[in-house]
Amino acid sequence: MDRKYEIAKLLSEKTMMSPEDIMGIIETPPDMALGDFAFPCFRLAKQFRKSPQMISQEIASGITELPSFLDRIEVKGPYLNFYLSRLDYAKSTVREILEQGERYGSSDEGQKRNVVIDYSSINIAKPFHIGHLSTTVIGSSLYKIFNHLGYNSVGVNHLGDWGTQFGKLITAYKLWGDRDEVNEGSIHALLKLYVRFHDEAEKDPSLEDQGRYWFKQIEDGNPEALELFDWFKELTLKEVQKIYDILNIRFDSYAGEAFYNDKMAPVIQELEEKGLLKDSEGAKVVDLEDYGMPPCLILKSDGATLYATRDLACAFYRKKTYDFYKNIYVVAYQQNLHFQQLFKVIELMGYEWAKDMVHVAFGMVSMTEGTLSTRSGRVIFLEDVIRDVINRAREIIEEKNPDLPDKDETAKQVGVGALIYSTLSNNRIKDIVFDINKILNFDGETGPYVQYTHARACSVIRKAGDLEDVVPDYSEIASEEAYPLVKLLGDFPEVIKRAAEKYEPFYITRHVTQIAQAFNKYYYDVRIIDEDRNRTKARLDLVSATASTIRTGLALLGIEAPERM
Ligand code: ARG
């Protein structure tokens, strides 16, 4: 039951406003002592020609019969404060959570509509560096959040598998490469070849011509060039798959830039027909001056297509293939302009679905000095970060809980959890600085802290033993101590909805952290297991509901919740 909506309906009868409008006015008081919901009467003053204070009085005295979910209504100046019946609220919330389990907070609002999410989108022949962690983790979380709300998420890894750099790579490989060495060293060997190409090309510019030549060979389908290119691609995908496996990341499609090679011509033609293409020093552009943006480059003077041209073809392909409700790009804010241009061009072509394209931007990731042993000074490889975090988690577990079974598996869950949590622990647009010791601090606002709280709740449940047949006395969890926790659990579905609306998994991170904090406070204030079996059973139901909600929340972020730590 949506209590806020029930209150809105009640007020609607007294104010001649629609429940929907009232929903927008109802507030959540900053302090629980002021009730669970508040209705400010300021906006009614004009219509009623009375002071808000008088209006709140009148509405209150007009409500003669309280619905059972409400305990009381109090007038406080211009405000009407609504107090829920704590018993009713605690009982129904905990029951709902225990009934729904991992489905808690799910809904069918999505009605199976497709939400395309473009995330991770790595570049071939380049190692997975720490900059790609955010897109991978944010995108994967959004994927789960939208599915939870009844949408059908479609995860796309829009591979960066096109561009002149692949011609350079083939040149470098043919000059200095060795098949076994590359098979062995994989992306790192390719990166080395690429770096060498640039060093040598500074001395010998003819290398650039060779690079262009080999790129043309890929474009023209020369078998040797294609064989090498496909091999580079295969090596890269095999390598990054290891990381996806550890992080538990999946995709439904790997259609990347090369996939759109044969899909650009009709789009370019349509731009031409709609009079949107302009010549600019031999190149073709869409002029966006009226919108305060530089022109969007569609074709270079030599006829070559660009990143934007591919993304344009890609947007049409996705619309046709998935008829998406939203088409989301999880890409760093450095590409803000690119996406603004892309969306504008589609709008200018006259497609109303341009409004369904969303750029979910995020900030930069860096590491504090000295927290990581990297293979090369400049680039931070995600592989190294993951390895170090897991090793460190293993050490901490060894220290805290040497008898734990499955120490390796738990270390992996905790290390990866710490990494994902910290990536999602702030508004995504903020820059992040990783500090391995901080993100693994069991007492801070961290993944391990939330996981540890979950494990603690599980341990309480184990200790209590079997209370299957005991009837819970729920008045016990309508108490002053329990209610803040109950309230947070009850808010969880709303938080998921807001996270989807704002494309902000961080809302869930913040909320599960608050639940963990509230639970720990409850745990210190109250003895969970005592002689009174009915009360004990009610408290344990609350503990189970807490563990279950934390587990669901963490799962939506992509973090596992071990039962023992
Ligand atoms: N591969 C690009 C990069 O690493 C990101 C691609 C994002 N997706 C897209 N459709 N443009 O910067």
Side-chain angles (χ1 to χ4, degrees):
M1 174 167 84
D2 184 347
R3 290 170 174 76
K4 188 171 165 184
Y5 193 72
E6 293 302 317
I7 291 174
K9 280 203 302 207
L10 190 67
L11 287 170
S12 163
E13 294 161 20
K14 313 285 166 199
T15 57
M16 281 144 29
M17 284 171 81
S18 74
E20 283 67 29
D21 286 344
I22 294 176
M23 285 292 274
I25 301 177
I26 293 179
E27 298 171 0
T28 305
D31 180 356
M32 252 178 220
L34 295 171
D36 300 281
F37 297 102
F39 181 69
C41 296
F42 304 105
R43 283 205 223 164
L44 297 175
K46 222 176 165 178
Q47 174 196 343
F48 283 74
R49 299 170 174 280
K50 281 181 193 154
S51 74
Q53 281 82 352
M54 285 169 76
I55 299 171
S56 58
Q57 277 292 355
E58 270 173 33
I59 297 178
S61 33
I63 300 174
T64 43
E65 222 176 303
L66 273 187
S68 66
F69 70 90
L70 281 180
D71 180 59
R72 63 190 193 279
I73 302 174
E74 282 179 9
V75 180
K76 197 146 181 99
Y79 285 93
L80 279 167
N81 292 335
F82 294 83
Y83 293 78
L84 296 179
S85 153
R86 293 191 170 186
L87 177 58
D88 167 80
Y89 188 75
K91 187 160 109 186
S92 62
T93 301
V94 165
R95 276 196 181 155
E96 189 182 335
I97 296 170
L98 295 182
E99 259 161 43
Q100 297 195 356
E102 62 186 21
R103 299 301 303 152
Y104 181 52
S106 66
S107 75
D108 53 10
E109 73 159 59
Q111 301 181 351
K112 292 276 161 258
R113 282 172 295 183
N114 285 334
V115 171
V116 177
I117 311 175
D118 177 325
Y119 61 105
S120 203
S121 300
I122 49 138
N123 301 316
I124 296 303
K126 291 211 187 130
F128 211 126
H129 65 92
I130 193 158
H132 275 104
L133 179 63
S134 301
T135 163
T136 306
V137 162
I138 295 170
S140 172
S141 176
L142 290 176
Y143 186 100
K144 295 176 167 131
I145 292 170
F146 277 102
N147 273 345
H148 204 67
L149 296 178
Y151 296 88
N152 178 47
S153 299
V154 181
V156 185
N157 197 331
H158 185 83
L159 297 178
D161 55 2
W162 199 250
T164 47
Q165 71 270 28
F166 299 109
K168 297 177 186 178
L169 200 57
I170 292 183
T171 307
Y173 174 73
K174 288 182 69 75
L175 286 171
W176 316 297
D178 172 84
R179 194 164 273 265
D180 291 340
E181 225 170 77
V182 171
N183 268 328
E184 183 80 14
S186 189
I187 317 187
H188 295 282
L190 293 176
L191 186 68
K192 230 162 95 190
L193 283 172
Y194 192 63
V195 170
R196 178 154 177 199
F197 179 92
H198 279 273
D199 289 346
E200 307 246 354
E202 272 180 28
K203 291 170 265 168
D204 175 8
S206 77
L207 282 174
E208 297 283 354
D209 293 330
Q210 289 187 50
R212 269 188 287 276
Y213 168 80
W214 278 109
F215 179 55
K216 184 95 178 53
Q217 296 309 300
I218 304 178
E219 280 189 297
D220 294 349
N222 169 333
E224 186 188 1
L226 283 187
E227 192 271 328
L228 286 172
F229 180 52
D230 287 343
W231 176 44
F232 297 159
K233 209 161 151 170
E234 191 189 312
L235 283 176
T236 311
L237 288 177
K238 221 162 99 192
E239 193 72 12
V240 296
Q241 190 55 47
K242 290 190 215 155
I243 290 181
Y244 292 144
D245 284 345
I246 295 182
L247 297 179
N248 229 324
I249 306 282
R250 309 252 175 286
F251 299 95
D252 302 297
S253 160
Y254 284 82
E257 293 189 46
F259 181 75
Y260 298 100
N261 274 343
D262 59 357
K263 297 176 181 62
M264 286 175 283
V267 187
I268 298 170
Q269 194 187 337
E270 187 177 338
L271 282 170
E272 191 85 74
E273 282 163 12
K274 291 187 167 160
L276 289 164
L277 274 194
K278 256 192 170 174
D279 279 315
S280 164
E281 297 166 34
K284 301 254 187 216
V285 305
V286 178
D287 184 20
L288 297 174
E289 204 185 338
D290 288 352
Y291 311 97
M293 288 185 255
C296 181
L297 194 51
I298 302 291
L299 284 174
K300 287 201 223 167
S301 52
D302 62 1
T305 57
L306 294 108
Y307 182 53
T309 326
R310 286 162 197 282
D311 257 336
L312 204 54
C314 166
F316 282 95
Y317 174 83
R318 286 183 190 167
K319 187 65 199 172
K320 193 178 83 202
T321 309
Y322 304 112
D323 189 26
F324 54 73
Y325 166 69
K326 296 281 177 209
N327 179 21
I328 299 170
Y329 299 85
V330 187
V331 185
Y333 65 62
Q334 279 87 345
Q335 294 191 30
N336 276 355
L337 178 62
H338 166 73
F339 287 107
Q340 280 163 11
Q341 290 178 314
L342 177 68
F343 301 172
K344 186 50 98 180
V345 171
I346 292 172
E347 188 192 315
L348 291 175
M349 290 172 84
Y351 293 101
E352 54 83 32
W353 51 264
K355 65 169 182 4
D356 303 325
M357 313 256 288
V358 186
H359 177 207
V360 171
F362 56 83
M364 299 251 294
V365 183
S366 55
M367 305 268 317
T368 49
E369 207 76 44
T371 46
L372 189 76
S373 50
T374 40
R375 238 173 286 201
S376 117
R378 278 177 308 151
V379 202
I380 299 171
F381 299 130
L382 190 55
E383 212 185 315
D384 296 335
V385 179
I386 293 176
R387 187 204 52 225
D388 279 17
V389 178
I390 293 176
N391 285 344
R392 183 79 195 100
R394 183 76 169 73
E395 284 166 23
I396 296 174
I397 291 171
E398 196 63 63
E399 222 173 272
K400 287 196 185 250
N401 194 355
D403 300 329
L404 187 76
D406 297 333
K407 271 185 277 199
D408 287 328
E409 180 59 20
T410 312
K412 196 191 105 187
Q413 293 172 329
V414 172
V416 168
L419 209 56
I420 295 179
Y421 181 102
S422 70
T423 307
L424 302 177
S425 64
N426 241 318
N427 285 303
R428 55 184 155 75
I429 204 66
K430 289 204 180 149
D431 293 342
I432 304 173
V433 182
F434 270 131
D435 177 334
I436 286 195
N437 292 318
K438 258 197 203 141
I439 69 176
L440 278 169
N441 182 350
F442 278 46
D443 302 317
E445 291 185 5
T446 63
Y449 168 76
V450 178
Q451 286 173 321
Y452 190 68
T453 306
H454 169 263
R456 166 180 281 165
C458 291
S459 133
V460 174
I461 297 163
R462 276 195 304 272
K463 263 189 217 131
D466 187 11
L467 285 161
E468 204 49 52
D469 300 325
V470 179
V471 181
D473 175 358
Y474 282 127
S475 67
E476 176 59 24
I477 57 168
S479 68
E480 205 59 44
E481 290 84 7
Y483 197 61
L485 175 59
V486 170
K487 203 66 203 289
L488 284 165
L489 297 179
D491 286 343
F492 183 71
E494 196 56 38
V495 171
I496 299 177
K497 263 167 74 177
R498 242 182 299 137
E501 261 163 42
K502 301 278 187 216
Y503 311 102
E504 222 17 311
F506 155 62
Y507 291 166
I508 296 176
T509 319
R510 184 174 56 190
H511 200 72
V512 291
T513 308
Q514 287 168 350
I515 291 175
Q517 288 163 341
F519 174 76
N520 284 322
K521 183 162 180 354
Y522 180 66
Y523 181 78
Y524 282 112
D525 289 347
V526 175
R527 233 176 95 200
I528 310 273
I529 303 169
D530 68 11
E531 305 70 41
D532 187 326
R533 286 171 58 86
N534 306 84
R535 286 173 174 272
T536 298
K537 172 70 172 150
R539 289 190 289 261
L540 279 171
D541 278 357
L542 176 59
V543 175
S544 296
T546 304
S548 173
T549 307
I550 292 181
R551 203 156 48 232
T552 304
L554 288 179
L556 290 173
L557 301 173
I559 300 175
E560 289 184 79
E563 292 194 4
R564 293 167 207 261
M565 263 173 79

